[in-house]
Amino acid sequence: MKNFKYSAITTGSKKVNGIISASDLKEAKIALKEKNLRPIEIKETKSKLEGKQLFSKKKLRADVVSHFCRQFRIIIASGINSIVGLESMASKSKDKIMAQEINKIINSLKTGGSISQAMLNEDSKFPKLLGAMVATGEATGTLEDVLKSMSTFYEREHKITQKIKNASTYPIVIGITSFVMLFIFTGFIIPQMMESIVETGAKLPFITKMIMGFGIFIKKFWYLIIPFIIFLIYQLKLYVKTPVGRKQKDKLIRKTPLLGIAINAIVSMRFSRALYLFTSTGYPLLQGLDYIKESINNAIAEKAIDIAKEGVIKGESLAENLEKIDYFDPIFLQMISIGEQTGQLESISYQMAEFYEHEAEVYLERLVSMIEPIMIIVVGIIAAILVISVFLPMLSIYDAI
């Protein structure tokens, strides 16, 4: 599926700009005519990754998107004019990015466009999955129901994201604290103690000399070490934004015990829940796979979806093509296959989403519970090395006496 940027005239003789997804230029023109738009200019847009910096602009958080969907659904259900309601939401929004995006929707509506056109625009920060679902809701008159479903979808996505952050916050805090402690002890406290011990004629063991050398090095070149560490982190972030870096990162995560299983469950949950949304609204599967691909955030699974899409175009099943890339577990693939064969893909995808959400929560909780003792052991080893490096010279003093 390709994206086409267009300029068109509405039935009210107003000029509108936007972006539309279609397989080719001919299909894009037909789609515009179905929307009662007379195209002036249509041209294919480049991929999002082309010509853009690796660090993309800030996106909307899942909880903010969920709150938007919930509020906008209330406005539609109450019968308030959409533009008036959106203007009120924009003025009261505490999130500046969301306020800007709502204003873009308002401008689109005022110029004869639609909500989905603004959301699917190239510079929109709304998830494209949401834009596609809103387009379906607008076309079928079920926008209120769509917003309700999407509010729940992003609320659960935020819940999972927070669990991932909680799992990663603890080791980061402990790591920084350990580094600061190591810097203070090796750079200031231990050298002063060793000076007094050396004056008594005691000899320093190898481990103490090594710790002191490390401390002197850090104390002398800290102004170079800290920027170097920041530079390395920055370069690592740049690398994992590249296609090769993303793939390597996801491969490494997959091989990591427990974490790999948890992330696999999260990806399967995202796929299943998005698939349910599209099948329940009758959205075309081929176009839906493009938006599912954007929502799962995993390079290996994205490759599997690309292959699956090619197979679906040829008339093959979704499950057998997803299986060509070894990522999704056999249960997931089997359930997709059963859903396709029985025509119950909507019901089965919903049940799978619930199952994998529970699995993801279980494994993330296990991961958090395992991280704490692991970090305690690591800190204990560091503390033990420091204590040994101090007490060995002190014991040599007693031996000399």
PDB file of all heavy atoms in Angstrom, residues 85 87 217 255 311:
ATOM      1  N   GLY A  85     -16.699  21.279  19.904  1.00  0.00           N
ATOM      2  CA  GLY A  85     -16.186  20.359  20.916  1.00  0.00           C
ATOM      3  C   GLY A  85     -14.673  20.221  20.854  1.00  0.00           C
ATOM      4  O   GLY A  85     -13.997  20.198  21.891  1.00  0.00           O
ATOM      5  N   GLU A  87     -12.541  22.394  19.610  1.00  0.00           N
ATOM      6  CA  GLU A  87     -11.931  23.663  20.031  1.00  0.00           C
ATOM      7  C   GLU A  87     -11.840  23.735  21.553  1.00  0.00           C
ATOM      8  O   GLU A  87     -10.847  24.209  22.111  1.00  0.00           O
ATOM      9  CB  GLU A  87     -12.735  24.847  19.483  1.00  0.00           C
ATOM     10  CG  GLU A  87     -12.540  25.072  17.991  1.00  0.00           C
ATOM     11  CD  GLU A  87     -13.422  26.183  17.450  1.00  0.00           C
ATOM     12  OE1 GLU A  87     -14.422  26.529  18.133  1.00  0.00           O
ATOM     13  OE2 GLU A  87     -13.138  26.687  16.338  1.00  0.00           O
ATOM     14  N   PHE A 217      42.188   7.017  38.000  1.00  0.00           N
ATOM     15  CA  PHE A 217      41.847   7.257  36.595  1.00  0.00           C
ATOM     16  C   PHE A 217      40.518   8.013  36.468  1.00  0.00           C
ATOM     17  O   PHE A 217      40.409   9.003  35.726  1.00  0.00           O
ATOM     18  CB  PHE A 217      41.777   5.929  35.843  1.00  0.00           C
ATOM     19  CG  PHE A 217      41.359   6.068  34.409  1.00  0.00           C
ATOM     20  CD1 PHE A 217      42.252   6.498  33.435  1.00  0.00           C
ATOM     21  CD2 PHE A 217      40.044   5.777  34.029  1.00  0.00           C
ATOM     22  CE1 PHE A 217      41.858   6.629  32.116  1.00  0.00           C
ATOM     23  CE2 PHE A 217      39.644   5.912  32.708  1.00  0.00           C
ATOM     24  CZ  PHE A 217      40.562   6.342  31.748  1.00  0.00           C
ATOM     25  N   LYS A 255      16.517 -13.285  22.330  1.00  0.00           N
ATOM     26  CA  LYS A 255      17.368 -14.327  22.912  1.00  0.00           C
ATOM     27  C   LYS A 255      17.546 -14.166  24.416  1.00  0.00           C
ATOM     28  O   LYS A 255      18.069 -15.064  25.077  1.00  0.00           O
ATOM     29  CB  LYS A 255      18.737 -14.307  22.231  1.00  0.00           C
ATOM     30  CG  LYS A 255      18.695 -14.728  20.759  1.00  0.00           C
ATOM     31  CD  LYS A 255      20.082 -14.627  20.129  1.00  0.00           C
ATOM     32  CE  LYS A 255      20.043 -15.016  18.653  1.00  0.00           C
ATOM     33  NZ  LYS A 255      21.376 -14.879  18.011  1.00  0.00           N
ATOM     34  N   GLY A 311       1.687 -12.792   0.570  1.00  0.00           N
ATOM     35  CA  GLY A 311       0.957 -14.045   0.430  1.00  0.00           C
ATOM     36  C   GLY A 311      -0.534 -13.833   0.307  1.00  0.00           C
ATOM     37  O   GLY A 311      -1.206 -14.502  -0.500  1.00  0.00           O
TER      38      GLY A 311
END
